[in-house]
Amino acid sequence: MRLSDYQRQMIVQSVKSCFGPEARVKLFGSRTDDGRRGGDIDLLITTDMEDVNDIVRAEMRCQVQLQQALGEQKIDMLIDYHNRGHYPAIFRIAEQSGIAL
């Protein structure tokens, strides 16, 4: 996994502060492969939040917190929540290949 301890800690801390203490986060994509270089930070976040507006606000807050803590980086977030109607294939890939932080 190509994240430092500090980066992992900041990601988990920000996700839990924005999406709730029960939120879980997985890293997926190129950053899980130690043999590759570069790449954005791809996160699958699972939350108990249900209101879509609250989820959108939480995502924006989390992005801001992570940019402040980690510096300007490309961070992609997939948000899984109860009552989500549509699951693109990337959700299955992220769930199966992701590494829990």
Side-chain angles (χ1 to χ4, degrees), residues 18-92:
C18 295
F19 290 95
E22 301 301 316
R24 296 182 319 275
V25 60
K26 285 186 172 185
L27 176 72
F28 70 98
S30 63
R31 289 285 183 120
T32 62
D33 184 349
D34 291 334
R36 296 180 69 180
R37 301 187 75 168
D40 53 354
I41 298 174
D42 298 310
L43 303 173
L44 171 63
I45 298 167
T46 304
T47 181
D48 290 336
M49 297 174 83
E50 294 184 7
D51 183 271
V52 175
N53 292 318
D54 289 342
I55 293 167
V56 169
R57 283 190 287 275
E59 182 179 5
M60 289 187 301
R61 279 193 318 273
C62 193
Q63 281 281 358
V64 169
Q65 285 183 15
L66 290 174
Q67 293 297 328
Q68 290 174 338
L70 305 179
E72 195 170 318
Q73 295 198 39
K74 178 87 164 84
I75 302 171
D76 292 326
M77 295 181 188
L78 297 178
I79 314 298
D80 189 8
Y81 56 93
H82 300 298
N83 302 325
R84 183 180 180 90
H86 178 67
Y87 284 92
I90 190 68
F91 276 82
R92 183 177 46 78

